[in-house]
Amino acid sequence: MIDFSMYDVKEPTIEAWKCESCGEIFYPAPMICSKCGVRRDPVTNKGWSTFEMEGPCTLLTWTRVWNLPEGYNKKFLQFGIVEFENGLRASGRVEVEKPETGMKLTTTVEESDERPGDPVNVFVFK
Ligand SMILES: [Zn+2]
């Protein structure tokens, strides 16, 4: 196990993208703006800006996954799709006791190393 704590200078975040030409917002990062057709160069990102996905959101749908693979010490995990106030949608873990479609949730981001490779930031809606 590698200790990443020394690199933890700030809380993990997940960013959405904004096309500077027309103002349309996207998540995840698009290759091309579906509104005005501007391309995004994945190296320079010229003409695009990012902003943090945070704040309240609404639970659109959710599911509970049982029979987790070896290595999990939980009975189940819950996943859901939410809609943010700006209309963007994202999926992530849902950590409320009784999820209900349409309920308001708070967005948090956690670093997850539950899969092979480098840790990734994932949404956890509470
Ligand atoms: Zn655009």
Side-chain angles (χ1 to χ4, degrees):
M1 200 69 181
I2 302 166
D3 182 11
F4 287 101
S5 58
M6 60 196 289
Y7 301 111
D8 275 346
V9 289
K10 64 186 191 100
E11 293 286 304
T13 59
I14 295 176
E15 297 196 313
W17 292 77
K18 182 178 179 185
C19 170
E20 295 292 352
S21 303
C22 71
E24 189 76 346
I25 55 177
F26 297 90
Y27 173 81
M31 292 307 292
I32 187 165
C33 177
S34 58
K35 191 173 175 191
C36 74
V38 161
R39 288 187 176 277
R40 183 181 62 85
D41 182 323
V43 178
T44 65
N45 294 313
K46 196 163 168 271
W48 293 78
S49 59
T50 59
F51 59 95
E52 201 175 319
M53 292 181 80
E54 57 184 355
C57 56
T58 304
L59 186 58
L60 298 180
T61 184
W62 65 278
T63 188
R64 187 173 285 158
V65 181
W66 298 86
N67 297 322
L68 301 174
E70 223 175 298
Y72 285 89
N73 56 4
K74 300 173 181 172
K75 280 187 178 170
F76 59 82
L77 284 174
Q78 295 172 163
F79 296 94
I81 297 173
V82 304
E83 184 169 282
F84 292 83
E85 288 183 334
N86 60 17
L88 290 179
R89 293 179 175 186
S91 60
R93 286 214 310 272
V94 176
E95 289 191 354
V96 290
E97 214 167 300
K98 287 183 181 170
E100 277 179 44
T101 300
M103 76 190 305
K104 299 287 178 193
L105 296 172
T106 304
T107 306
T108 67
V109 176
E110 288 180 12
E111 194 176 75
S112 167
D113 58 2
E114 287 170 350
R115 52 181 128 180
D118 293 333
V120 292
N121 291 344
V122 296
F123 284 116
V124 181
F125 305 107
K126 298 178 180 177

